[in-house]
Amino acid sequence: MSEHLRLDIADSVATLVIDRPAKRNALSFDMWAGIPKLVAEVAADDSVRVLLLTGGEHFSAGADISEFAELRADAAGARRYAEGIHTATDALTGLAKPTIAAINGFCIGGGCEIALACDLRIAADNAQFGITPAKLGIVYMLPSTKQLVDAVGPAWAKQILFSADIIDAATALRIGLVNELHAPGDVIKRATELAHTMAARSQVTIRGAKEIIGRITAGRFEEDEAVHALYAGSAESADYAEGVRAFLDKRTPKF
């Protein structure tokens, strides 16, 4: 496990901290490799309902390019490196529990990939965003490109990837790259507040919604047996019984 990743768990919320401030949280290959292991811990821990990702002063300035000469020296090395990134982002995307990226400072390149792999992005109003493979001669991976297109649409995805420009937080909010903006000192507070709100809601509903939204963004619109099983499971769940009882009793449900 990378020394620059830390997982803290408290009150149903796991916080994965990117902790390499000397390099503005640039992601080494070992850090990419460590993310799936920590996400697996979150998945296996029944006490955790929400995963929050953050990085302190900066979310992440991107992949550690100083490693590229060695680790991406040829096509085979580039493929292995890309597979490591994909495994990390796929772990986040595939987590059944909701994920929130709390973004301060730089959210560039690989940092933006991690943020886009999360369900929600809460950012500082002075945060900066960019995806910059056009400055390096790298073709951005298809799964990560799809997540960008899903968030901002094809026209803005093209502008971001073709220009490699850094965009400000106001633009990021306007185009749908982030959900909310807050003062830098309030980002973690707001993201944590939102995490606790989601942790208090029906997990049957949240996980079902995440599954169905994932199907829709993958172009799967049919209500097959798996979707019907989600409906049936919710109707027979303890959450449904508690939700109806709480509504009738005029009280807050306890899921």
Side-chain angles (χ1 to χ4, degrees):
M1 197 69 65
S2 172
E3 63 180 307
H4 300 300
L5 297 173
R6 187 176 76 249
L7 187 67
D8 303 321
I9 298 174
D11 300 328
S12 301
V13 177
T15 303
L16 198 167
V17 181
I18 306 170
D19 186 18
R20 199 186 185 192
K23 288 210 169 187
R24 294 177 176 172
N25 288 341
L27 295 152
S28 68
F29 188 76
D30 284 346
M31 292 168 72
W32 287 112
I35 289 171
K37 300 171 186 176
L38 294 175
V39 173
E41 286 186 32
V42 171
D45 190 335
D46 291 338
S47 74
V48 174
R49 293 189 166 192
V50 182
L51 174 61
L52 176 65
L53 284 82
T54 190
E57 182 181 358
H58 296 287
F59 187 76
S60 174
D64 187 349
I65 297 173
S66 68
E67 296 182 328
F68 282 17
E70 178 181 354
L71 299 181
R72 299 184 87 259
D74 53 25
R79 184 167 59 251
R80 285 191 297 271
Y81 198 96
E83 287 170 354
I85 293 176
H86 176 64
T87 301
T89 56
D90 192 54
L92 289 167
T93 304
L95 182 65
K97 301 173 184 183
T99 53
I100 304 171
I103 301 164
N104 277 299
F106 292 135
C107 184
I108 310 296
C112 220
E113 279 186 88
I114 291 176
L116 281 164
C118 294
D119 296 312
L120 304 176
R121 288 161 291 283
I122 308 300
D125 56 18
N126 64 351
Q128 297 181 69
F129 301 83
I131 303 176
T132 56
K135 292 182 178 180
L136 297 167
I138 293 172
V139 175
Y140 201 51
M141 291 185 297
L142 191 151
S144 294
T145 302
K146 181 185 182 302
Q147 289 174 338
L148 177 63
V149 172
D150 287 342
V152 305
W156 264 104
K158 289 174 183 177
Q159 181 164 335
I160 289 168
L161 290 172
F162 294 1
S163 71
D165 283 344
I166 303 303
I167 63 175
D168 60 26
T171 302
L173 179 66
R174 177 168 57 85
I175 66 178
L177 187 60
V178 300
N179 295 77
E180 298 179 10
L181 295 182
H182 297 275
D186 293 335
V187 171
I188 299 298
K189 177 183 176 183
R190 170 54 183 156
T192 302
E193 175 187 78
L194 186 56
H196 284 301
T197 295
M198 292 192 294
R201 302 303 189 212
S202 166
Q203 301 305 295
V204 171
T205 298
I206 288 174
R207 294 182 191 185
K210 183 164 180 173
E211 170 68 20
I212 289 174
I213 292 168
R215 283 169 166 261
I216 291 168
T217 58
R220 299 168 61 191
F221 306 115
E222 73 284 357
E223 288 193 324
D224 58 15
E225 290 185 7
V227 172
H228 290 154
L230 291 173
Y231 300 157
S234 69
E236 297 171 356
S237 70
D239 278 13
Y240 175 65
E242 166 63 7
V244 172
R245 266 197 314 270
F247 179 83
L248 296 174
D249 293 345
K250 296 181 172 58
R251 61 175 174 82
T252 301
K254 297 179 180 179
F255 296 117

